[in-house]
Amino acid sequence: MGSLPFLHDPLENSSSHLTKALDTEEFRKQGHMVIDFIADYYQNIEKYPVLSRVEPGYLKKCLPESAPYNPESIQTILQDVKDHIIPGLTHWQSPNFFAYFSSTASTAGFLGEMLITGFNVVGFNWVSSPAATELEHMVMDWLADMLQLPKSFHFSGNGGGVLHGSTCEAIVCTMAAARDQMLSRIGSENLGKLVVYGSDQTHSTLQKATQIVGINPENFRAIKTTKSTGFALSPAMLRLTISSDRAKGLVPLFLCATMGTTATTAIDPLGAVCNVAKDYGMWVHVDAAYAGSACICPEFRHFIDGVEGANSFSFNPHKWLFTAMDCCCLWVENPSALINSLSTNLEYLRNKASDTKQVVDYKNWQIALSRRFRALKLWLVLRSYGVANLRKFIRSHVKIAKIFEGLVRMDNRFEIVVPRNFSLVCFRISLSAIVSDDHYDGEEYNMVNEINCKLLEAINASGSVFMTHAVVGGVYVLRCAVGATLTEEKHIREAWKAVQGQAHTILSACIVDSA
Amino acid sequence: MGSLPFLHDPLENSSSHLTKALDTEEFRKQGHMVIDFIADYYQNIEKYPVLSRVEPGYLKKCLPESAPYNPESIQTILQDVKDHIIPGLTHWQSPNFFAYFSSTASTAGFLGEMLITGFNVVGFNWVSSPAATELEHMVMDWLADMLQLPKSFHFSGNGGGVLHGSTCEAIVCTMAAARDQMLSRIGSENLGKLVVYGSDQTHSTLQKATQIVGINPENFRAIKTTKSTGFALSPAMLRLTISSDRAKGLVPLFLCATMGTTATTAIDPLGAVCNVAKDYGMWVHVDAAYAGSACICPEFRHFIDGVEGANSFSFNPHKWLFTAMDCCCLWVENPSALINSLSTNLEYLRNKASDTKQVVDYKNWQIALSRRFRALKLWLVLRSYGVANLRKFIRSHVKIAKIFEGLVRMDNRFEIVVPRNFSLVCFRISLSAIVSDDHYDGEEYNMVNEINCKLLEAINASGSVFMTHAVVGGVYVLRCAVGATLTEEKHIREAWKAVQGQAHTILSACIVDSA
């Protein structure tokens, strides 16, 4: 049970030791100290290996087994952050972070989080902090406007938007709404017949949400995609799968279409798949977690053409719109479906404003009752940078990715595996760099996958960059996802040199091996 | 669609306007500015009406209809926060906030949030930031120790803890785990037979979770409580209800027992209800959202005696352990039940550390894939204050509540409705203050409820304090929940004066009316 002095409480009767938990002057002093600490961290961020090098269990060895009984100074704690936490971080804000999709920090997003935490209001309903609800309402309409979402998703068009923490939450909520809407028509005894559709490239969040809301796991369809459609969902395959399910007496419920898949940023053809879904009365959710942000630029907006056929749409400003974690925007065409599934009527929250139904009570649009004032950080980001700069930031990342793509194309040992849509480049050492023969067999396919896997490990072990991988159509690809706020052209050029350097070593060894 | 210059992009070809989204020196300058802004807010917080006085729709009138195209200065934005946001806040950090349960801000919690946002890592699995996982692991064991939770909830006892955002998330996850465990035994076709139990005082989060995970809403039991048991769940009633369900062929699945209900901080007898649940093979979750924090003090720990019979336990440090929103600690005895229900195997997250199963991948313990580094703020709170001061803070709130209770008892127009357990006092103007006759009828009961409702409205309209209400056993009670970090004895004495003043006015009018 550790070594806490549980029964003896030496300080119990001495009030002299009572530190205040919120003393304005202490707050000011320590706050300034931590601002400088973080600014220094950003200043030095390129000095750290991007991917942490610690071994599992490292922290246990550095820190005590139980909470301290007596207070410790902020200086001591910050020293421990420097000595023990920072070495265990994978530096998502490093300009050399090209893994997963980024989580873009920004000054405005940070300041927004400070205000959120400073006010620390819990905006479950309107009255508990009207500004929290009304600013969210407003910011969601602003963003809907920036993305040119159909009027039906705006509050003014009888739809509406809400801030969730994650795409999974957005999908759980919309799927529960779809499920309850459907069951109210066909009877709750038919829950076991409901079917959910996505592609084999849809984020696994869909499968998790399906499981959480109690849909039979056997009724989850991950429709196969191929390279021929750029790993996008085929409307014909979708229709075929749905018909087959219908023939078995099952009930098609929910389709998640993706705009910018995680593996390769593939784009499901929204218009066509929405048409198929419409024929079967299904709910369509569009997951644009990463690439949604790009649609604030006119030149990328066409990728969500057809979204007007969907019932809901979500994207994550914490990924690529310079808003700190966590922040997922969800719009629905029919808020009452959401509210019917997620409402609770709590006597202790009853108030006149809610009773008159003049106001939005966001607790009925999400899983939790409690909620942070997330709109504040989005509002700060939108205002501090303005639409003009936000577009510039997005375009600058895309430009950097294009440069990387160009560098890859110039090196004939490498290939681009799928066309680049946004700021993700999917590349690898090509088969031809290893085998001169044109008659490749399965073994050689495996070999090239293994070599690329080794290449990624070597790149990441160097500490100079961090990239991740995907496997699509049996092909192991390296993902270079440009999106960290601090990344500039020079970083991608250095990253490419690092890739080339490691590739040289690996390919040389290869040739020696086969010689 | 608003008035965004969507097609014209005047800045597109001019790089001179490219503000940096993360410039170290700008960050430093603006960060210091916002620290001072928030410190000033705390300094002036008592000047604001605690409950916001704005009318629905107020913000729309103050702010533009669409996002600005060009950047705005932080000074302009902060001025708008002052002019338009602060008036729309209900001031949860005011020392005169006695509503709901508090969300306790603290300097350490704030600094923790700053570091979380500064690093902005996404710790879905170990490798994505080992420190995030390992610190969470450690802090959850520290806290389990502080609460003297059974060894079986500690990682070292093959259980383990995880940080969620809210109790609802904790209940959704544990209920999904319980559901899947049960269905794997009895077959998924029996989902419609599963039954969930709580009391009529259990937080509505339980009902919402039941609905989300796809349990038939008709199979949700809110067992009636009465004043005779202090509105706690009766083990006998629980057994009776379960037997009756079993007799109908239903399958008892999940019980949520509460330690400190929202309305009155009633305490379900954990040992006894766990014994009943055990007889039926049910999962028991203990929701100690608010009062769990008190159990770090030895004198309150006995309230969770019997917790060793439960399968999971949660409490919210964001409520009463000086940790900013959001932070809910969940411990489970059997993490693999959780992991079996919530796991996803994502190729793009594959890594050696996870493959060897040496590490915890917290994405499999929660709804979302993404997660903030919440452990950092808890760690800062525990270290900055130490167990000694945290106990002091809790005790100081309890002491202030006791003072309020004493004041109420001294005024014979008022009554304490249920015994005070922690820092919540449930009180009201008593029937005898209004009606001298001993033969009360239903009409008089309604009248006293109405008068108390009016009293609460008058108190809150004054702006000097904010309290909320509950209705238990048909009785409308005022809740004075002490828990804001800044609340001192003087504030509760002023609050009582405000209550008395309003009561005087209302009761005088009453007497005039009936005269």
Side-chain angles (χ1 to χ4, degrees):
Chain A
M1 285 291 198
S3 53
L4 276 182
F6 196 70
L7 295 170
H8 310 289
D9 228 350
L11 291 184
E12 187 161 6
N13 296 309
S14 95
S15 65
S16 63
H17 289 75
L18 183 53
T19 312
K20 278 187 178 174
L22 193 56
D23 174 84
T24 309
E25 290 320 307
E26 268 306 302
F27 174 90
R28 211 185 285 270
K29 212 176 80 194
Q30 298 188 10
H32 288 309
M33 206 183 293
V34 174
I35 285 291
D36 286 330
F37 183 91
I38 297 171
D40 293 346
Y41 168 73
Y42 289 141
Q43 211 140 33
N44 293 313
I45 199 162
E46 293 190 54
K47 294 181 188 155
Y48 305 114
V50 190
L51 177 65
S52 172
R53 285 171 167 167
V54 299
E55 291 294 319
Y58 89 100
L59 194 61
K60 220 178 168 150
K61 295 170 197 152
C62 316
L63 296 174
E65 263 190 42
S66 48
Y69 188 71
N70 291 311
E72 296 182 85
S73 75
I74 186 70
Q75 288 85 350
T76 309
I77 300 172
L78 287 178
Q79 192 59 49
D80 275 355
V81 171
K82 210 173 258 174
D83 296 343
H84 305 306
I85 301 300
I86 290 181
L89 293 179
T90 291
H91 299 280
W92 285 67
Q93 302 319 315
S94 164
N96 300 311
F97 183 96
F98 303 104
Y100 314 114
F101 287 125
S102 287
S103 74
T104 42
S106 72
T107 301
F110 186 90
L111 304 178
E113 276 288 347
M114 284 171 78
L115 291 174
I116 294 170
T117 309
F119 297 140
N120 208 35
V121 302
V122 186
F124 29 67
N125 58 8
W126 182 85
V127 79
S128 71
S129 246
T133 297
E134 299 207 4
L135 193 68
E136 186 160 332
H137 189 295
M138 204 191 71
V139 164
M140 293 305 287
D141 266 2
W142 280 15
L143 272 164
D145 215 14
M146 287 168 65
L147 296 169
Q148 301 277 306
L149 290 182
K151 191 77 188 158
S152 55
F153 284 157
H154 290 63
F155 278 102
S156 51
N158 294 322
V162 59
L163 291 172
H164 283 183
S166 67
T167 306
C168 197
E169 184 178 354
I171 297 185
V172 164
C173 291
T174 50
M175 200 186 288
R179 178 200 64 193
D180 294 346
Q181 217 174 31
M182 181 64 84
L183 293 181
S184 76
R185 285 209 296 273
I186 64 170
S188 64
E189 68 281 8
N190 291 305
L191 173 55
K193 293 184 186 164
L194 305 180
V195 191
V196 169
Y197 301 84
S199 84
D200 59 5
Q201 298 301 310
T202 308
H203 197 279
S204 67
T205 266
L206 180 66
Q207 189 174 357
K208 191 165 180 172
T210 304
Q211 213 155 316
I212 289 171
V213 306
I215 307 256
N216 188 340
E218 287 171 18
N219 291 352
F220 172 73
R221 308 277 174 265
I223 297 169
K224 203 172 148 45
T225 61
T226 60
K227 198 168 177 177
S228 66
T229 59
F231 301 104
L233 178 60
S234 141
M237 282 289 285
L238 174 65
R239 191 180 291 277
L240 209 65
T241 314
I242 297 176
S243 313
S244 145
D245 283 327
R246 282 269 293 237
K248 290 180 213 152
L250 297 175
V251 180
L253 174 72
F254 192 93
L255 166 69
C256 178
T258 309
M259 203 291 273
T261 60
T262 306
T264 64
T265 67
I267 293 152
D268 294 340
L270 296 193
V273 298
C274 286
N275 283 342
V276 175
K278 206 175 173 182
D279 288 345
Y280 296 95
M282 291 164 67
W283 183 298
V284 183
H285 178 78
V286 177
D287 169 13
Y290 151 75
S293 298
C295 297
I296 67 165
C297 303
E299 68 272 29
F300 293 113
R301 172 56 179 78
H302 69 94
F303 285 121
I304 54 168
D305 281 356
V307 66
E308 56 281 3
N311 302 75
S312 48
F313 175 90
S314 65
F315 88 107
N316 298 351
H318 69 226
K319 280 205 170 67
W320 202 17
L321 207 62
F322 306 90
T323 309
M325 276 276 297
D326 48 4
C327 189
C328 169
C329 294
L330 166 69
W331 286 271
V332 290
E333 205 191 34
N334 179 12
S336 62
L338 214 57
I339 294 168
N340 287 342
S341 277
L342 302 171
S343 281
T344 44
N345 283 312
L346 299 154
E347 177 61 37
Y348 78 100
L349 294 184
R350 271 194 71 178
N351 65 87
K352 279 187 178 165
S354 297
D355 285 350
T356 57
K357 306 202 172 185
Q358 286 184 321
V359 295
V360 170
D361 284 339
Y362 272 123
K363 72 180 177 62
N364 301 330
W365 293 55
Q366 63 173 25
I367 295 175
L369 173 68
S370 303
R371 59 201 322 271
R372 304 175 73 232
F373 188 175
R374 288 194 189 99
L376 208 41
K377 64 180 166 183
L378 257 175
W379 186 58
L380 255 82
V381 166
L382 298 181
R383 293 190 61 183
S384 277
Y385 304 121
V387 175
N389 278 308
L390 289 169
R391 287 182 184 164
K392 286 245 167 204
F393 298 154
I394 297 271
R395 285 170 182 150
S396 131
H397 283 154
V398 173
K399 189 180 146 206
I400 294 170
K402 267 188 198 166
I403 292 171
F404 187 81
E405 187 189 19
L407 293 167
V408 174
R409 285 195 196 279
M410 283 194 305
D411 186 329
N412 58 16
R413 296 169 302 172
F414 285 86
E415 63 180 350
I416 297 291
V417 182
V418 291
R420 183 194 48 73
N421 288 320
F422 306 99
S423 68
L424 172 71
V425 180
C426 292
F427 70 104
R428 65 169 197 161
I429 293 177
S430 67
L431 201 52
S432 61
I434 307 168
V435 193
S436 53
D437 199 329
D438 275 350
H439 306 288
Y440 309 133
D441 58 19
E443 204 176 308
E444 279 148 349
Y445 277 106
N446 286 340
M447 196 173 78
V448 75
N449 278 352
E450 272 164 36
I451 282 171
N452 278 291
C453 179
K454 264 191 206 161
L455 172 62
L456 183 64
E457 274 173 24
I459 293 168
N460 291 341
S462 78
S464 62
V465 293
F466 179 32
M467 294 182 186
T468 48
H469 78 285
V471 176
V472 280
V475 171
Y476 187 102
V477 299
L478 279 71
R479 295 170 73 263
C480 177
V482 178
T485 311
L486 297 169
T487 302
E488 297 174 20
E489 188 177 324
K490 65 178 178 193
H491 297 107
I492 207 72
R493 293 197 182 274
E494 284 303 315
W496 175 240
K497 274 189 210 153
V499 172
Q500 280 186 313
Q502 299 296 342
H504 178 75
T505 312
I506 286 172
L507 287 174
S508 309
C510 239
I511 289 157
V512 171
D513 280 358
S514 61
Chain B
M1 287 288 197
S3 52
L4 276 183
F6 196 71
L7 294 172
H8 310 289
D9 228 351
L11 292 184
E12 190 161 4
N13 295 312
S14 97
S15 66
S16 63
H17 288 75
L18 183 52
T19 310
K20 278 189 180 175
L22 193 56
D23 173 85
T24 309
E25 289 320 307
E26 268 306 301
F27 175 91
R28 212 184 284 272
K29 212 176 80 191
Q30 298 188 10
H32 288 310
M33 206 184 290
V34 174
I35 285 291
D36 286 331
F37 183 91
I38 297 170
D40 293 347
Y41 168 72
Y42 289 142
Q43 212 142 33
N44 294 313
I45 200 163
E46 293 190 53
K47 293 181 188 155
Y48 305 115
V50 189
L51 177 65
S52 171
R53 284 171 169 167
V54 300
E55 292 293 319
Y58 88 99
L59 194 62
K60 220 177 168 151
K61 295 170 196 150
C62 316
L63 297 173
E65 263 189 42
S66 49
Y69 188 71
N70 290 312
E72 296 181 85
S73 75
I74 185 69
Q75 288 85 351
T76 310
I77 301 172
L78 288 178
Q79 192 60 48
D80 275 355
V81 172
K82 211 173 254 174
D83 296 343
H84 305 307
I85 301 299
I86 290 181
L89 293 180
T90 290
H91 300 279
W92 286 68
Q93 302 318 316
S94 163
N96 300 311
F97 183 96
F98 303 103
Y100 315 113
F101 288 124
S102 287
S103 73
T104 43
S106 72
T107 301
F110 185 90
L111 305 178
E113 277 288 348
M114 284 170 77
L115 291 174
I116 294 170
T117 309
F119 296 141
N120 208 35
V121 301
V122 186
F124 30 67
N125 58 7
W126 182 86
V127 79
S128 72
S129 246
T133 297
E134 298 208 4
L135 193 68
E136 186 160 332
H137 190 295
M138 205 192 69
V139 164
M140 292 307 285
D141 266 3
W142 280 15
L143 271 165
D145 214 13
M146 286 168 66
L147 296 168
Q148 302 275 306
L149 289 182
K151 191 76 187 161
S152 55
F153 284 158
H154 290 63
F155 279 100
S156 51
N158 294 321
V162 58
L163 291 172
H164 282 183
S166 67
T167 306
C168 197
E169 183 179 355
I171 298 185
V172 164
C173 291
T174 50
M175 200 185 288
R179 178 199 64 193
D180 294 346
Q181 217 175 30
M182 180 64 84
L183 293 181
S184 75
R185 285 208 295 272
I186 64 171
S188 66
E189 68 281 8
N190 291 304
L191 174 55
K193 292 184 184 165
L194 304 180
V195 192
V196 169
Y197 301 84
S199 84
D200 59 4
Q201 298 302 308
T202 308
H203 197 279
S204 67
T205 267
L206 180 67
Q207 189 175 357
K208 191 164 181 173
T210 304
Q211 213 156 316
I212 289 172
V213 306
I215 307 255
N216 187 339
E218 287 172 16
N219 292 351
F220 172 73
R221 307 279 174 263
I223 297 169
K224 203 172 149 42
T225 60
T226 61
K227 198 171 178 177
S228 66
T229 58
F231 301 104
L233 178 60
S234 142
M237 282 289 285
L238 174 64
R239 191 179 290 277
L240 209 67
T241 313
I242 298 176
S243 313
S244 145
D245 283 328
R246 283 269 293 236
K248 290 179 212 151
L250 298 175
V251 180
L253 175 72
F254 191 93
L255 165 69
C256 178
T258 309
M259 204 293 274
T261 59
T262 306
T264 64
T265 66
I267 293 152
D268 293 340
L270 296 192
V273 299
C274 285
N275 282 341
V276 174
K278 205 174 174 185
D279 288 346
Y280 297 94
M282 292 164 65
W283 182 300
V284 183
H285 178 77
V286 176
D287 169 13
Y290 151 75
S293 297
C295 296
I296 66 165
C297 303
E299 68 271 29
F300 292 113
R301 171 56 178 77
H302 70 94
F303 284 120
I304 54 168
D305 282 355
V307 66
E308 57 280 2
N311 302 77
S312 48
F313 175 90
S314 65
F315 88 106
N316 297 352
H318 70 226
K319 280 206 169 67
W320 202 17
L321 208 63
F322 305 90
T323 309
M325 278 278 294
D326 48 3
C327 189
C328 169
C329 294
L330 167 68
W331 286 271
V332 289
E333 207 191 31
N334 178 13
S336 63
L338 215 57
I339 295 168
N340 287 343
S341 277
L342 302 171
S343 281
T344 44
N345 283 312
L346 300 155
E347 177 60 36
Y348 79 99
L349 293 184
R350 271 195 71 178
N351 65 88
K352 279 188 178 164
S354 297
D355 285 351
T356 57
K357 306 204 173 184
Q358 285 185 321
V359 296
V360 170
D361 283 340
Y362 272 124
K363 73 182 175 62
N364 300 331
W365 294 56
Q366 63 172 25
I367 295 175
L369 173 67
S370 303
R371 60 202 320 271
R372 303 175 73 232
F373 188 175
R374 290 196 188 99
L376 207 42
K377 63 180 167 182
L378 257 176
W379 186 58
L380 256 83
V381 166
L382 298 181
R383 294 191 60 182
S384 276
Y385 304 122
V387 175
N389 277 308
L390 289 169
R391 286 181 185 165
K392 286 245 166 204
F393 298 154
I394 298 271
R395 284 170 183 152
S396 130
H397 284 154
V398 173
K399 190 180 144 205
I400 294 170
K402 267 188 197 165
I403 292 169
F404 187 81
E405 187 189 20
L407 293 166
V408 174
R409 285 195 196 279
M410 283 196 302
D411 186 330
N412 57 17
R413 296 170 301 174
F414 285 87
E415 63 179 350
I416 296 292
V417 181
V418 290
R420 182 195 48 73
N421 288 319
F422 305 99
S423 68
L424 171 71
V425 181
C426 292
F427 69 104
R428 65 169 198 161
I429 292 177
S430 67
L431 199 54
S432 62
I434 306 166
V435 193
S436 52
D437 199 332
D438 275 349
H439 308 287
Y440 309 133
D441 59 20
E443 204 176 308
E444 278 147 352
Y445 276 106
N446 286 340
M447 196 173 77
V448 75
N449 277 353
E450 272 165 36
I451 283 171
N452 278 292
C453 179
K454 265 191 205 160
L455 173 62
L456 182 64
E457 274 173 23
I459 294 168
N460 291 341
S462 78
S464 61
V465 293
F466 180 32
M467 295 182 187
T468 48
H469 77 286
V471 175
V472 280
V475 171
Y476 186 102
V477 298
L478 279 70
R479 295 170 72 264
C480 176
V482 178
T485 311
L486 295 169
T487 303
E488 297 173 20
E489 188 177 324
K490 65 179 179 191
H491 299 107
I492 207 71
R493 293 196 182 274
E494 285 302 315
W496 176 240
K497 273 188 210 155
V499 172
Q500 280 185 313
Q502 300 296 341
H504 178 76
T505 312
I506 285 172
L507 288 173
S508 307
C510 239
I511 289 158
V512 172
D513 280 356
S514 60

